[in-house]
Amino acid sequence: MHDIRTIRADGAAFDAAMARRFLPPQSAVILEKDTARRAAQTALQDKQARRNTLAKQVGEGRRKGEDTATLEAEATALRTEMEALEQAVAALDAEIRDILASLPNILDPDVPDGPDESANVVLKQVGEPRDLGFQPRQHFELGEALGMMDFETAAKIAGSRFTLLRGKLARLERALGQFMIDLHTQSHGYEETIVPLLVNGAAMFGTNQLPKFAEDSFRTTDDRWLIATSEIPLTNTVSGDIIVEKRLPIRLTALTDCFRSEAGSAGRDTRGMLRQHQFRKVELVSITHPEHSDAEHERMTQSAERVLELLQIPYRRVVLSAGDTGFGAAKTFDLEVWLPGQQAWREISSCSNTRDFQARRMNARFRNNDGKTVAHVHTLNGSGVAVGRALIAVMENYQQADGSILVPPVLWPYMGGLERIAAA
């Protein structure tokens, strides 16, 4: 959510910021409604003051036995006028809020311009794609050949874009999630959190899922929403709060199932586990002082990178362009892993700084150590990382010519010492 005061101060700068998001000028309409709202509010206050004066005059007149009918008639008329003004103010408030809620975050100045992912910039690469010495297979070919990845049964139970994992491959997926949670809690200072998988509309609005992305989420019949990411409940733990500064930063992590309708993705990644209605993800969320959010963004991204380094999977860090940066983000780093079966780099983590965009929607603030100043916190979120995609990356990078899959050494303790997954 945007601060209306920023738009009042420099509408042209706001329009320029929206232009980077390929949106037409917005400030004129917003400021026109804001001017009308403030005029109505001023008129309402003037009429309230006049009504207060009349109330005193009527009271004094009655005590003196004077005729107050004219004064009372004016007071009655004022009440009717005030009700109309109150409705006008409320309506304009709602209109302004709806417009502001529909507009994306302002991009950081160093986000590269460009219309889509083609303008993303690779910042670094760690590791080189391996020469496996044979024609690599994609994860679903490997999993089905092992008899441990079953799409047909999942479709029978739930429909398309679901996967049923069996046996050692199911254990490998569980091992990946446990490894990531242990790493982030024991080495990176995040607090493990068990969160609801269902949230209300206010929580969805707070993390900018609503109203724009309603069609991408699953809604229950009692008006709750299945989470698309645990960013939603984790970030909303501070909604409506005023946090004492010494508590910052707050770092939270959770391993949850996530649910996405994948609206508009027909025909994309229809084979395998890359784009599912249900998947598991380790999420990282930070609540920070505004002065520290840039450093926290780097720290969070490094925490996600450490997962891939320990798994010994080639990856690269990419800064997203203006056209590819998400609605709520001011700046996003994507981590992409190399998938030999696809011969392509695929995203496995996005780490975003939303600055005070979400905090304004949630009314999440902090009080400075001086005990006086109150300001909005900055919020950040990132995948640390997507468990299903990590499973894909392990399967494809550690596949062997005979169709078996080596287990990365860091996961051996989580696999009971198992070092290779092979067909029974």
Side-chain angles (χ1 to χ4, degrees), residues 337-356:
V337 290
W338 176 254
L339 298 184
Q342 288 195 9
Q343 289 291 292
W345 296 95
R346 297 303 298 262
E347 180 257 319
I348 196 171
S349 171
S350 285
C351 296
S352 298
N353 188 350
T354 74
R355 302 207 175 276
D356 65 356

Side-chain angles (χ1 to χ4, degrees), residues 124-166:
K124 70 174 183 179
Q125 179 179 317
V126 176
E128 292 294 331
R130 302 175 181 131
D131 179 5
L132 299 180
F134 57 89
Q135 181 63 42
R137 288 184 277 184
Q138 295 196 53
H139 68 282
F140 51 85
E141 298 171 314
L142 292 162
E144 288 177 326
L146 289 169
M148 301 176 192
M149 186 176 286
D150 186 345
F151 300 101
E152 183 177 346
T153 301
K156 178 178 69 174
I157 299 167
S160 62
R161 295 194 186 275
F162 289 92
T163 306
L164 192 150
L165 298 176
R166 302 181 187 275

Side-chain angles (χ1 to χ4, degrees), residues 235-243 358-359 361-365:
T235 308
N236 274 281
T237 57
V238 298
S239 63
D241 292 348
I242 298 178
I243 305 160
Q358 292 181 334
R361 297 170 80 98
M362 297 186 301
N363 196 28
R365 296 169 291 168

Side-chain angles (χ1 to χ4, degrees), residues 18 39 62 86 130 135 164 185 192 201 224 292 298 403:
M18 291 300 101
R62 285 177 177 175
E86 287 171 351
R130 302 175 181 131
Q135 181 63 42
L164 192 150
T185 55
E192 184 173 2
R224 281 180 279 210
H292 303 150
E298 177 62 27

Side-chain angles (χ1 to χ4, degrees), residues 2 6-7 10-19 26-27 30 100 103 106:
H2 298 284
T6 300
I7 305 173
D10 194 342
F14 185 78
D15 287 341
M18 291 300 101
Q26 305 289 325
S27 65
I30 296 170
L100 294 179
L103 297 176
I106 294 174

Side-chain angles (χ1 to χ4, degrees), residues 195-332:
V195 297
L197 301 185
L198 285 167
V199 297
N200 57 32
M204 292 283 283
F205 179 84
T207 49
N208 49 261
Q209 309 296 315
L210 293 180
K212 185 174 177 61
F213 301 107
E215 67 173 6
D216 295 319
S217 300
F218 290 108
R219 190 176 191 175
T220 65
T221 55
D222 63 351
D223 207 26
R224 281 180 279 210
W225 302 78
L226 283 166
I227 62 170
T229 164
S230 56
E231 168 203 343
I232 300 167
L234 288 175
T235 308
N236 274 281
T237 57
V238 298
S239 63
D241 292 348
I242 298 178
I243 305 160
V244 293
E245 183 180 352
K246 64 182 180 181
R247 282 190 60 205
L248 301 177
I250 298 171
R251 298 185 178 112
L252 305 172
T253 186
L255 167 61
T256 67
D257 286 303
C258 304
F259 306 89
R260 296 183 184 175
S261 70
E262 292 297 341
S265 66
R268 297 177 61 192
D269 299 314
T270 55
R271 293 292 308 275
M273 291 179 59
L274 270 168
R275 197 175 294 275
Q276 299 272 277
H277 289 312
Q278 176 184 334
F279 58 95
R280 307 198 84 202
K281 181 158 67 83
V282 172
E283 187 71 9
L284 306 175
V285 162
S286 295
I287 315 295
T288 74
H289 189 289
E291 294 177 1
H292 303 150
S293 66
D294 284 336
E296 188 69 18
H297 193 195
E298 177 62 27
R299 184 187 189 279
M300 175 180 285
T301 307
Q302 289 180 2
S303 295
E305 289 175 342
R306 186 61 179 154
V307 172
L308 305 176
E309 289 164 2
L310 290 171
L311 290 173
Q312 300 178 48
I313 294 173
Y315 74 90
R316 63 186 191 180
R317 184 196 290 199
V318 176
V319 59
L320 299 191
S321 70
D324 202 30
T325 300
F327 178 87
K331 183 178 182 179
T332 298

